[in-house]
Amino acid sequence: QMQLVENGGGSVQTGGSLKLSCAVTGRTTCTDRLGWYRQAPGKEREFVAALPGFWCSGATVYADSVRDRFTISRAHAENILYLQMTIVKPADTAIYYCNIGDTSGYWGRGTKVTGSS
């Protein structure tokens, strides 16, 4: 059984910061990377960032829209995935989804982030 539970969403002023977390339960492997996606109102779900699975090695990847503003990280022993968001913009407003295994993998329920002006 695989379960992903996001937390930390909310409203943040333009330029502010917010940290999302994703608690993972279940077995993970190095074939399935960890990541964040988001879906803005009226838009398709889009990739945000990803890194290798817990205890795994490999590249960290960011969407151009969030590079240098967001940081993805792992707490290996605790099986928690984080997304540190800084310099938040209104365009970052979306439901943020934790993911394992990219689009064909597993998803959390999502947590809403609103960047307000």
Side-chain angles (χ1 to χ4, degrees):
Q1 297 295 324
M2 185 70 64
Q3 188 173 97
L4 296 75
V5 180
E6 302 97 336
N7 207 348
S11 297
V12 59
Q13 296 290 326
T14 297
S17 299
L18 200 65
K19 190 171 186 177
L20 309 182
S21 65
C22 172
V24 178
T25 58
R27 179 178 174 271
T28 61
T29 73
C30 291
T31 63
D32 300 318
R33 65 180 183 176
L34 315 175
W36 291 92
Y37 288 72
R38 67 185 184 185
Q39 187 168 25
K43 305 287 187 178
E44 294 188 8
R45 188 173 301 185
E46 66 175 347
F47 172 82
V48 175
L51 42 52
F54 298 113
W55 309 108
C56 306
S57 61
T60 299
V61 182
Y62 293 96
D64 289 342
S65 59
V66 307
R67 193 184 311 277
D68 300 324
R69 298 190 299 118
F70 293 5
T71 301
I72 187 170
S73 62
R74 304 167 291 181
H76 304 276
E78 294 77 21
N79 276 39
I80 301 177
L81 177 69
Y82 295 100
L83 184 68
Q84 176 66 62
M85 308 168 62
T86 65
I87 319 177
V88 172
K89 306 174 180 179
D92 296 320
T93 297
I95 306 295
Y96 284 72
Y97 297 92
C98 183
N99 166 264
I100 297 178
D102 301 302
T103 56
S104 61
Y106 300 92
W107 299 91
R109 182 186 299 106
T111 186
K112 185 177 181 179
V113 172
T114 301
S116 64
S117 60

